[in-house]
């Protein structure tokens, strides 16, 4: 059974950076890419980017590409998302999801990581 | 940024049929990119509900169905049940933005 387990909640000050991890199990990690999606309080879903777990190819959302970095560690089947220069409007639940479903759908999701940015 | 537009809310009585629209443009749904739908129960992570416009993953009841035409897509729920109360999101790919896009989301209320 596919599982994506994310790191715990974080509280950061404006201007700081945060790194969220996503550990995969139950399938061959390098077979499917991973996406990161965030959801601000009471708001909708926002796609942040995609990373290939086999060759490291990456695509970032245009509005975040200057502040976000996505990486993977195939030795531990873990993906990471780092967001820099945090602002209050970066406060959100951050999800990783496997882009493994047919037609490029996101078929398994992590439990989410709440990142709070506050002075 | 949401470039797929959904109604903010849809409601129906138990047993009724409701539909949720997802309106896109020529750079996403109209560019022949497929539409996926997700259900997000309160306090939970999203769950894949429909993929490839009209296909259900294993375990999703056949009360849920999807369709797509031109620059829009729809999700239909028949035999509405209390545990269908959730937020629903469509998702596709946008060639102008060079990335995935989600709909604005629709809250379904069972009266």
């Amino acid at each position: 059974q596919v599982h994506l387990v994310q790191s715990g909640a974080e509280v950061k000050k404006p201007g700081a950076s945060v790194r969220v991890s996503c550990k995969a199990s139950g399938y061959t990690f390098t077979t499917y890419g991973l996406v990161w999606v965030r959801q601000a309080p009471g708001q909708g879903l926002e796609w942040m980017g995609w990373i290939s777990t086999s060759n490291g190819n990456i695509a970032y959302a245009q509005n975040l590409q200057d502040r976000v970095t996505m990486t993977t560690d195939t030795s531990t089947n873990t993906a990471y998302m780092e967001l820099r220069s945090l602002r209050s409007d970066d406060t959100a639940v951050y999800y990783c999801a496997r882009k493994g479903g047919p037609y490029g759908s996101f078929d398994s999701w992590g439990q989410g990581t709440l990142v709070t940015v506050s002075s | 940024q949401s470039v797929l537009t959904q109604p903010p809310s849809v409601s129906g009585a138990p047993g009724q049929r409701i539909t949720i629209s997802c309106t896109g443009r020529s750079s996403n749904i109209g560019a022949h990119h497929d539409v996926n739908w997700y259900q997000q129960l309160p306090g939970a992570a999203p769950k894949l509900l429909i993929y490839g416009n009209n296909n259900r993953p294993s375990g999703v009841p056949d009360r849920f169905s999807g369709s797509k035409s031109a620059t829009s897509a729809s999700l239909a729920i028949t035999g509405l049940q209390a545990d269908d109360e959730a937020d629903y999101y469509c998702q596709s790919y946008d060639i102008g933005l060079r990335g995935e896009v989600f709909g604005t989301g629709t809250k379904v209320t069972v009266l």
Side-chain angles (χ1 to χ4, degrees):
Chain A
Q1 189 173 5
V2 176
H3 277 119
L4 298 175
V5 178
Q6 300 182 219
S7 49
E10 303 264 12
V11 179
K12 296 292 183 180
K13 293 192 181 302
S17 298
V18 69
R19 190 174 81 154
V20 178
S21 68
C22 170
K23 184 172 176 61
S25 62
Y27 70 101
T28 302
F29 183 67
T30 52
T31 301
Y32 303 102
L34 286 168
V35 299
W36 289 88
V37 175
R38 69 178 180 177
Q39 185 172 35
Q43 302 301 308
L45 303 173
E46 178 187 12
W47 178 80
M48 300 179 66
W50 161 85
I51 183 167
S52 165
T53 54
S54 59
N55 61 18
N57 283 351
I58 289 173
Y60 295 139
Q62 293 176 356
N63 64 322
L64 293 171
Q65 60 186 4
D66 293 337
R67 298 195 295 131
V68 69
T69 300
M70 296 175 187
T71 57
T72 61
D73 182 346
T74 56
S75 69
T76 59
N77 292 349
T78 303
Y80 299 92
M81 185 284 299
E82 180 186 44
L83 189 61
R84 301 176 295 279
S85 301
L86 289 168
R87 310 186 293 242
S88 58
D89 61 357
D90 291 318
T91 294
V93 176
Y94 289 75
Y95 295 101
C96 63
R98 189 180 81 164
K99 187 171 180 176
Y103 301 91
S105 55
F106 313 147
D107 64 348
S108 293
W109 293 68
Q111 83 276 20
T113 296
L114 175 62
V115 175
T116 303
V117 183
S118 174
S119 56
Chain B
Q1 56 265 40
S2 297
V3 297
L4 303 178
T5 302
Q6 301 177 229
S9 63
V10 172
S11 61
Q16 281 191 330
R17 178 181 186 272
I18 62 169
T19 61
I20 300 170
S21 61
C22 172
T23 302
R25 57 182 75 163
S26 58
S27 59
N28 41 65
I29 300 175
H32 308 292
H33 286 285
D34 296 301
V35 178
N36 306 305
W37 289 88
Y38 302 86
Q39 177 193 58
Q40 186 176 32
L41 296 170
K47 167 193 164 186
L48 179 63
L49 192 66
I50 296 287
Y51 65 88
N53 309 314
N54 55 13
N55 301 284
R56 289 184 308 278
S58 174
V60 173
D62 60 5
R63 301 185 297 105
F64 295 90
S65 63
S67 63
K68 175 193 168 189
S69 64
T71 57
S72 66
S74 289
L75 173 71
I77 308 175
T78 58
L80 197 62
Q81 299 179 359
D83 56 6
D84 295 333
E85 282 206 341
D87 293 323
Y88 293 82
Y89 295 90
C90 57
Q91 173 254 318
S92 186
Y93 182 86
D94 191 281
I95 57 177
L97 295 173
R98 299 180 185 177
E100 311 286 351
V101 288
F102 284 99
T104 48
T106 299
K107 181 175 182 62
V108 167
T109 301
V110 181
L111 302 172

